[in-house]
Amino acid sequence: FEDVEKVTYTDGCKVYFKNGGFITCRFSGTEPLLRLMSEAPTEGEAQGYINAFKALVEKIMRTDFSWAEAAQKYMQMYEAL
C-alpha cells in the first residue's frame, strides 16, 4: 500500500489513505468471518484496496498458524502496509 496516511487499531485495523479512502479489516461480531470494507474516490480504487488486503491476509494464513503466534502475525500483516 502506498500513500498511507495513518493506521488505527480500534475495532480491527483501519488504514487511511492520502486520497481520502480507507480500508477496514475486522472480525465479525456475529459470524465467524473476517470482514473487509473499503471506500475510495473510485470503485476501482476501493476494490483494489480490498484485493491487496485480501491477498496479504491469505498469504499470512497459508503459513503454519497457531493461536500462540496469532498476535505476532497480526502485527506483521499491518507492519507490511
Side-chain angles (χ1 to χ4, degrees):
F1 292 102
E2 296 179 14
D3 300 323
V4 171
E5 184 174 317
K6 69 178 178 176
V7 179
T8 61
Y9 299 99
T10 305
D11 193 29
C13 176
K14 189 170 186 178
V15 179
Y16 296 85
F17 298 97
K18 292 177 183 174
N19 69 358
F22 66 84
I23 185 164
T24 301
C25 178
R26 63 180 288 278
F27 287 102
S28 170
T30 58
E31 301 175 90
L33 298 173
L34 183 64
R35 297 192 185 277
L36 297 175
M37 297 159 279
S38 181
E39 288 187 18
T42 69
E43 184 176 341
E45 286 175 296
Q47 189 60 52
Y49 295 154
I50 289 174
N51 293 344
F53 210 96
K54 183 178 174 186
L56 185 59
V57 170
E58 288 174 346
K59 179 180 177 184
I60 290 169
M61 296 306 290
R62 279 193 294 267
T63 64
D64 290 333
F65 191 80
S66 70
W67 286 109
E69 298 174 5
Q72 182 179 9
K73 289 184 183 283
Y74 181 83
M75 291 308 296
Q76 288 173 350
M77 179 174 64
Y78 299 114
E79 288 172 1
L81 298 175

